[in-house]
């Protein structure tokens, strides 16, 4: 699809996001977990900043996203919101904050909105979460869906391999996307599914799709910020393009600092009072 530049918006809202899809203007999204990073992303023109529960892995050092709590998500979301002027901030609902009971999920989504000032929440799942999504969007809280590879269900599948490779799985993903749209989501993340399937989903729903490892024919793209900046070195999926090598930059800078302190060249006269 040929991308057209459009007039800019002062604040990204669900309405603006819908208009981006209509106009064929790609939606650029990244994750952030802290004030400083969120501020830089916002200044650089990112449309949607996701306070992803990926912070469990890239910020807290867990092996999966499962241990992250609602209180922790709220803590990080507050910091991110303080750094942002233009982008829409969406907050991931962590594992077991919405799966057991739709009413509880709705209440937790309300807590996130009330305590953080974010613009909406994201939940993983298809038809199994539509009751919660209906309740939540019905009360005016924007919800982003997330299907394909769902890291909160990692133990059900036993790994991070792509989803939607069989006809049956592809049919389920398409049906889930339609069910999410019908329940009222304003956008759907498609994670690690074949590019052709992502293109089919994108063509069959009116709401924007945001791809991660889902090929170029989604309405927008998202990456985990620590992956694309080359900070997280534990593993590197094929869909991650590294735009910087910050881990190397930081290591080199800190090695130089350590050396300067040990040899007594820091601080200098000019850096002293
Ligand atoms: O938690 C997260 O960062 C996410 C993105 C990868 C979409 O869900």
């Amino acid at each position: 699809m040929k991308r057209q530049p459009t007039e800019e918006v002062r604040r990204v809202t669900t309405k603006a996001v819908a208009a981006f899809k209509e106009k064929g203007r790609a939606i650029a999204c990244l994750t952030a977990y802290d004030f400083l990073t969120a501020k830089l992303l916002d200044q650089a023109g990112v449309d949607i900043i996701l306070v992803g529960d990926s912070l469990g892995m890239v910020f807290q050092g867990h092996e999966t996203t499962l241990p992250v709590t609602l209180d922790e998500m709220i803590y990080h979301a507050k910091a991110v919101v303080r750094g942002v002027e233009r982008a829409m901030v969406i907050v991931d609902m962590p594992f077991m904050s919405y799966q057991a009971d739709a009413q509880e999920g709705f209440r937790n989504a309300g807590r996130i909105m009330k305590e953080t000032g974010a613009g909406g929440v994201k939940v993983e799942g298809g038809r199994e979460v539509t009751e919660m999504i209906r309740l939540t969007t019905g009360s005016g809280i924007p919800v982003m869906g997330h299907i394909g590879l769902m890291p909160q269900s990692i133990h059900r599948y036993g790994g991070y391999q792509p989803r939607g490779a069989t006809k049956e799985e592809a049919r389920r993903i398409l049906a889930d996307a339609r069910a999410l749209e019908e329940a009222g989501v304003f956008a759907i993340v498609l994670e690690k599914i074949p590019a052709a399937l992502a293109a089919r989903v994108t063509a069959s729903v009116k709401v924007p799709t945001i791809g991660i490892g889902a090929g170029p024919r989604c309405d927008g793209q998202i990456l985990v910020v620590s992956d694309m900046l080359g900070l997280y070195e534990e593993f590197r999926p094929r869909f991650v393009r590294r735009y910087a090598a910050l881990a190397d930059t930081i290591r080199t800078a800190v090695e130089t600092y350590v050396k300067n302190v040990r040899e007594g060249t820091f601080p200098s006269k000019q850096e002293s009072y």
Side-chain angles (χ1 to χ4, degrees):
M1 192 194 319
K2 180 105 176 69
R3 301 296 186 188
Q4 301 290 329
T6 56
E7 70 286 356
E8 261 320 321
V9 291
R10 283 183 51 221
R11 182 99 216 180
V12 180
T13 59
T14 52
K15 204 169 149 204
V17 168
F20 289 157
K21 172 158 183 152
E22 227 165 79
K23 292 173 183 167
R25 190 290 216 168
I27 305 162
C29 317
L30 282 175
T31 66
Y33 319 108
D34 66 278
F35 167 80
L36 278 180
T37 310
K39 193 169 175 180
L40 294 173
L41 268 43
D42 193 50
Q43 289 169 348
V46 169
D47 297 310
I48 297 178
I49 297 179
L50 172 70
V51 186
D53 62 354
S54 49
L55 68 85
M57 298 169 77
V58 301
F59 191 90
Q60 298 176 330
H62 293 297
E63 274 188 17
T64 71
T65 61
L66 272 61
V68 179
T69 68
L70 185 61
D71 286 341
E72 288 166 348
M73 291 306 300
I74 288 173
Y75 170 86
H76 285 276
K78 281 180 177 172
V80 166
V81 166
R82 283 194 285 268
V84 171
E85 286 179 11
R86 175 188 167 276
M88 182 178 201
V89 177
I90 298 298
V91 183
D92 248 341
M93 296 198 62
F95 180 58
M96 289 317 290
S97 68
Y98 61 95
Q99 287 96 337
D101 176 4
Q103 285 284 349
E104 186 191 21
F106 168 40
R107 262 194 301 275
N108 286 336
R111 219 191 121 197
I112 290 174
M113 298 299 284
K114 214 173 166 77
E115 294 181 29
T116 69
V121 299
K122 175 165 85 58
V123 294
E124 294 182 9
R127 282 157 286 184
E128 68 279 14
V129 290
T130 50
E131 190 190 340
M132 178 268 169
I133 293 173
R134 247 183 230 107
L135 280 171
T136 308
T137 55
S139 76
I141 300 174
V143 179
M144 178 182 260
H146 181 156
I147 51 178
L149 191 150
M150 294 178 279
Q152 290 178 15
S153 307
I154 201 65
H155 293 304
R156 189 164 128 209
Y157 296 94
Y160 290 92
Q161 58 273 40
R163 308 286 189 256
T166 65
K167 269 193 182 155
E168 180 45 39
E169 256 196 51
R171 252 198 303 273
R172 203 172 58 235
I173 287 170
L174 263 170
D176 279 341
R178 291 191 187 114
L180 290 176
E181 174 172 47
E182 210 259 322
V185 298
F186 76 93
I188 305 173
V189 169
L190 303 175
E191 180 162 354
K192 221 169 176 186
I193 63 172
L197 174 60
R200 271 181 75 196
V201 173
T202 301
S204 64
V205 292
K206 289 203 180 70
V207 294
T209 58
I210 309 294
I212 172 161
R217 282 150 70 201
C218 298
D219 298 303
Q221 298 291 330
I222 186 162
L223 284 174
V224 169
V225 72
S226 336
D227 289 340
M228 61 86 75
L229 292 179
L231 263 176
Y232 187 68
E233 299 179 307
E234 307 308 304
F235 61 87
R236 180 179 172 180
R238 153 170 153 194
F239 62 76
V240 171
R241 184 181 295 180
R242 283 220 172 132
Y243 287 85
L246 289 197
D248 289 338
T249 307
I250 292 172
R251 259 191 305 264
T252 304
V254 175
E255 276 165 14
T256 309
Y257 167 77
V258 169
K259 183 170 163 281
N260 290 171
V261 169
R262 288 191 183 144
E263 69 195 9
T265 58
F266 176 83
S268 64
K269 250 195 192 154
Q270 290 79 4
E271 288 156 336
S272 306
Y273 296 95

